[in-house]
Every structure is written in C-alpha cells, then in structure tokens.
Amino acid sequence: FITDFTDEEWLDKKMIDALNTGLDSNSFDFVIASNMIHHVPYPMLFFKEMGRILKPGGHLIIQDVNCSIMLKLLLILMNHEGYDSTINVFDERNICTDPEDLWAGNNAIPNLLFDDMNKFEEKVKSFKLINHKYSEFLTFINSGGVVSKTYYIPLTKPLLKMVYLIDSFLCKAAPSFFALQRQIVLKKL
C-alpha cells in the first residue's frame, strides 16, 4: 500500500510517520522510500523503524538525492532546500532537518549515510547493502520538480532514451559531479 505523512485521498494509509509508523513488526517484504530520506529529521530512528516493520530478509529500496557538485549548484540557483555536510547522521539524538517542516530538506543526508557503506553497516547493523547505483542528471533537471515548479521540456520517447544514455554515461563516469540521484537496496539481516 502507499503511505505518506499527508492526508491525500489517493493514499492507502494517511499521516504515517516514517519514524514511528504504528505498523505491525516483521510484516513487510519490502519498503520503498522515494526521495524522502533527505527530509527525515532523525535518520537512525528511520532505519530502526524500517528494521522493525520489515520481515527478516526484507528489502528497503531507497531512491534519493546525491549531493553532487551539480546538485549543490542547482540548490543554490533555485534557492531550494539546502545541504549541511557537518551533521552526524549516525547520532539518533541529532536533528538533521527541521522536524516541524517536513518539506525542509538536508540534501547531504544520503551522502553522509551511504558514501561510506562500511561505516553505514557498522552503525546500522540490521541492514546489509545489496545494490548501489548513481543515476539522473539531465532527466532530474528536466523533471519539473515536486513542490518547486520549474520549467521542463516535454520529450518524445526516442529523445528520452537518448537522454537516459547520456545520463547513464555521465553518472557512471563522474557521479560526484553529475549524478543527482542514487539508488540503494538494503536487505534486513
């Protein structure tokens, strides 16, 4: 089912707090977190909760920002959200975003969590990394955004395929410069 911390009519479960879902323990085969971890005020509490609700062997599938040089530039140009690479995301008492404003984001959180996967697995012992991939540059820029209404160019399917190939090359060649997204798959131990 689909959840969010909003009251939209299309949601199966409304007003679900990712840090305290109220869902049954060991009840899900997988959870998808799409572009939300950089909004989570306490990332360690999020991973504890996901570890609680996932079945053993379950997967946490994450799509989120990659705080590359290009993303930092875009954030500055758009005056949208921000990034703070100085916080300790592994301290569950440390506030990483504004808990009163769930749209506030710290776009450095995914990098702080996942750039050093050995550190992540040392601190978050309930999960093991099984996949990590960088993605999206031009695709992300041309998406139009979620809450920030930006200009975008509608593309035909052949043009989208070409943009995808360019994105794949750039994100593989220089992820710390170009990649604006990252995909992570974690398995609950």
Side-chain angles (χ1 to χ4, degrees), residues 4 7 13 37 43 46 62 65 75 84 88 104 110 113 116 135 175:
D4 202 338
D7 195 21
K13 299 274 186 182
I37 292 188
F46 169 76
I62 299 166
V65 295
L75 293 170
D84 178 359
N88 180 0
L113 288 167
D116 181 347
S135 64

Side-chain angles (χ1 to χ4, degrees), residues 121-188:
E121 289 178 349
E122 174 188 311
K123 300 289 186 178
V124 185
K125 296 185 185 321
S126 57
F127 287 101
K128 173 93 176 134
L129 174 73
I130 60 170
N131 190 32
H132 182 207
K133 178 183 171 188
Y134 294 101
S135 64
E136 297 185 34
F137 173 58
L138 297 172
T139 306
F140 185 90
I141 292 170
N142 195 48
S143 71
V146 176
V147 294
S148 59
K149 304 299 181 209
T150 58
Y151 178 78
Y152 70 96
I153 301 169
L155 299 175
T156 63
K157 199 169 193 172
L159 283 174
L160 281 173
K161 285 182 180 184
M162 187 169 49
V163 167
Y164 175 78
L165 290 173
I166 294 167
D167 275 3
S168 296
F169 173 77
L170 292 174
C171 292
K172 188 171 186 165
S176 63
F177 189 84
F178 288 110
L180 302 179
Q181 289 276 287
R182 67 192 319 151
Q183 301 160 356
I184 304 278
V185 179
L186 303 172
K187 183 176 182 177
K188 180 182 172 182

Side-chain angles (χ1 to χ4, degrees), residues 19-31:
L19 305 181
N20 184 12
T21 63
L23 301 170
D24 293 338
S25 297
N26 299 313
S27 58
F28 293 93
D29 293 312
F30 63 89
V31 172

